[in-house]
Amino acid sequence: MRHKLINQDQEKTWVVVFEPGEEVVSRLQRFCEEQNLSAARFSAIGAFSAATLGYFEWNRKEYEEISVNEQVEVLSMLGDVAEYEGAPKLHVHVVLGKRDGSAWGGHLLEAYVRPTLEVVLTEAPAHLRRCMDSESRLPLINPDA
Amino acid sequence: MRHKLINQDQEKTWVVVFEPGEEVVSRLQRFCEEQNLSAARFSAIGAFSAATLGYFEWNRKEYEEISVNEQVEVLSMLGDVAEYEGAPKLHVHVVLGKRDGSAWGGHLLEAYVRPTLEVVLTEAPAHLRRCMDSESRLPLINPDA
Amino acid sequence: MRHKLINQDQEKTWVVVFEPGEEVVSRLQRFCEEQNLSAARFSAIGAFSAATLGYFEWNRKEYEEISVNEQVEVLSMLGDVAEYEGAPKLHVHVVLGKRDGSAWGGHLLEAYVRPTLEVVLTEAPAHLRRCMDSESRLPLINPDA
């Protein structure tokens, strides 16, 4: 993963480019920790060799896992970063395109890049915080926190 | 719906977070009116308990409605805001993910949030206007207006 | 295609609106050349009357073409612009919605707008370069170049 700061004003914007074989969620988490981000959003396109997606099962309040074991285009990867329990926490959703052009997607749990993933990430001069939501049992952004 | 201004420069950026049960299009419309927006764009991720999508039927020049009556991930919600007939007018498209990971989408007519929708919205220091287009019978952004 | 500069700070942001019948990739390429862009990203929504998508076949290192010969909603169009061999080079991925609400997508090779495509494009005060990648045989963004 290589990155470049492409704008530094009140907001900062980076281009972050992943290498083949890198795992996206853990590596992007590390980048957010290294840069100490607490109010960021990002979008990306590229391709994965494999991914694990999540669908939030409302009755059980758990993510069901969906495995994608083939080369797919990353048609859209959108996400945000806010602080939760003292560290940056990522929230990432993806849309993936298969060989026949069909689109699939979910909450991104894990993904392996091949050959590239081009992320544009912007950090705002603010602090956003996630708080545990008792109904969904998920840490949700609370703009008042 | 709660919101927080996370950057205020020439452009203004808000994080807008919806609560369970809130209807997205009408509530976001109200936010745009309250903030008097006329040149904004936004992106969002989250989840809906139900949604009504539109597909523009070109021959009839009407939206056909597509009902989604199940819990879905909001994989992508992209949109813009421009002025039309004296008020902000939203244009919103979504991609939704079902339990099996299949992706569905359309022009967003109505949607109910569960448990969250995280929107990042940026207003530019400009005025964008929609004008009725006689061929499509839709109010389209006209950069020269 | 008509455009309007909606913010001019360290970064510049345009709204670019396409007309019915215009081809997206070649026309947007021309816009990037006219504006001499080298570090831009964009997102768009709208509709196409037809499109040709690509799926990168990893073994052959070639794009397989997927034809879409019907009116579709552009649910998401995300992309970036970096310099390659002295000119701006676009990279564009789309998610398209058919009449039944099913979503399809891929790398965008060609598309015809009907009735509109609303693009928001931001150029950063930086220079990004693509370099030929020997493994994938694709020109990939190299943040160190």
Side-chain angles (χ1 to χ4, degrees):
Chain A
M1 199 214 77
R2 291 180 285 187
H3 57 90
K4 181 173 182 169
L5 187 64
I6 60 169
N7 191 42
Q8 181 159 22
D9 198 352
Q10 293 186 193
E11 295 197 314
K12 280 174 160 182
T13 297
W14 287 267
V15 165
V16 180
V17 178
F18 286 75
E19 305 286 313
E22 287 186 311
E23 199 285 304
V24 175
V25 180
S26 56
R27 192 65 195 82
L28 195 53
Q29 173 72 36
R30 187 140 56 97
F31 176 79
C32 294
E33 291 170 6
E34 287 164 359
Q35 303 292 341
N36 202 21
L37 305 184
S38 67
R41 70 272 188 185
F42 54 85
S43 70
I45 59 173
F48 294 155
S49 60
T52 305
L53 309 178
Y55 167 84
F56 194 71
E57 215 291 319
W58 184 253
N59 294 321
R60 296 209 322 276
K61 308 287 186 285
E62 282 178 358
Y63 282 104
E64 290 184 6
E65 294 193 3
I66 300 159
S67 291
V68 177
N69 291 310
E70 56 193 278
Q71 177 75 18
V72 285
E73 301 286 326
V74 179
L75 305 178
S76 162
M77 176 173 130
L78 297 178
D80 51 48
V81 182
E83 184 252 312
Y84 180 61
E85 296 186 341
K89 184 161 180 61
L90 291 169
H91 188 198
V92 193
H93 283 193
V94 292
V95 185
L96 306 175
K98 294 190 178 179
R99 181 187 296 266
D100 65 354
S102 61
W104 301 77
H107 176 95
L108 189 65
L109 294 169
E110 187 177 75
Y112 293 89
V113 170
R114 185 170 75 179
T116 192
L117 182 72
E118 303 165 346
V119 183
V120 181
L121 184 148
T122 299
E123 166 81 347
H127 194 91
L128 286 174
R129 193 165 286 171
R130 293 186 172 274
C131 298
M132 183 51 61
D133 173 56
S134 59
E135 193 191 9
S136 65
R137 298 181 218 154
L138 291 170
L140 305 182
I141 295 177
N142 180 347
D144 299 333
Chain B
M1 200 213 75
R2 291 180 284 186
H3 58 91
K4 181 173 183 169
L5 187 64
I6 60 169
N7 191 41
Q8 181 159 22
D9 198 352
Q10 293 186 193
E11 296 197 313
K12 280 175 160 182
T13 297
W14 289 266
V15 166
V16 180
V17 178
F18 286 75
E19 305 286 314
E22 287 186 311
E23 199 285 304
V24 174
V25 180
S26 56
R27 192 66 194 81
L28 195 54
Q29 173 71 36
R30 187 140 56 96
F31 177 78
C32 294
E33 291 170 7
E34 287 163 359
Q35 303 291 341
N36 202 21
L37 305 184
S38 68
R41 70 271 189 186
F42 54 86
S43 71
I45 59 173
F48 294 156
S49 59
T52 304
L53 310 178
Y55 167 83
F56 193 72
E57 215 290 319
W58 185 255
N59 295 322
R60 296 210 322 277
K61 308 287 185 285
E62 282 178 357
Y63 282 105
E64 290 183 8
E65 294 194 2
I66 300 158
S67 292
V68 177
N69 291 308
E70 57 193 278
Q71 177 76 18
V72 285
E73 301 285 327
V74 179
L75 305 178
S76 163
M77 176 173 131
L78 297 178
D80 52 48
V81 183
E83 185 252 312
Y84 181 60
E85 296 186 342
K89 183 159 181 63
L90 291 169
H91 187 199
V92 193
H93 282 194
V94 291
V95 185
L96 307 175
K98 293 190 178 179
R99 181 186 297 265
D100 65 354
S102 61
W104 301 77
H107 175 97
L108 189 65
L109 294 169
E110 187 177 76
Y112 293 89
V113 171
R114 186 170 74 178
T116 193
L117 183 71
E118 303 165 347
V119 183
V120 180
L121 183 149
T122 298
E123 165 81 347
H127 194 91
L128 286 174
R129 193 165 287 172
R130 292 185 173 274
C131 298
M132 182 51 62
D133 172 57
S134 58
E135 192 191 9
S136 65
R137 299 181 218 154
L138 290 170
L140 305 182
I141 294 176
N142 180 347
D144 299 332
Chain C
M1 200 214 74
R2 292 180 283 186
H3 58 90
K4 182 173 182 170
L5 188 64
I6 60 169
N7 190 42
Q8 182 159 22
D9 198 353
Q10 293 185 194
E11 295 196 314
K12 280 176 159 182
T13 298
W14 288 266
V15 166
V16 180
V17 178
F18 286 75
E19 305 286 314
E22 287 186 311
E23 199 284 305
V24 175
V25 180
S26 55
R27 193 65 196 81
L28 195 54
Q29 173 71 36
R30 187 140 56 97
F31 176 78
C32 295
E33 291 170 6
E34 288 164 358
Q35 303 292 341
N36 202 21
L37 304 183
S38 68
R41 70 271 189 187
F42 54 86
S43 70
I45 59 173
F48 294 156
S49 59
T52 304
L53 309 178
Y55 167 83
F56 193 72
E57 214 290 320
W58 184 253
N59 295 321
R60 296 209 321 277
K61 307 289 186 284
E62 283 178 357
Y63 281 105
E64 290 184 7
E65 294 194 2
I66 301 159
S67 292
V68 178
N69 291 309
E70 57 193 278
Q71 177 75 18
V72 285
E73 301 285 327
V74 179
L75 305 178
S76 163
M77 176 172 130
L78 297 178
D80 51 48
V81 183
E83 184 253 311
Y84 180 62
E85 296 185 342
K89 183 159 181 62
L90 291 169
H91 187 198
V92 193
H93 283 193
V94 291
V95 185
L96 306 175
K98 294 191 179 180
R99 181 187 296 264
D100 65 353
S102 61
W104 300 78
H107 176 96
L108 188 65
L109 294 168
E110 187 178 75
Y112 293 89
V113 170
R114 187 170 74 178
T116 193
L117 183 71
E118 303 165 346
V119 183
V120 181
L121 184 149
T122 298
E123 165 81 347
H127 194 91
L128 286 175
R129 194 164 286 173
R130 292 185 172 274
C131 298
M132 183 50 62
D133 173 57
S134 58
E135 192 191 9
S136 65
R137 299 181 217 155
L138 290 170
L140 305 182
I141 294 177
N142 181 347
D144 300 332

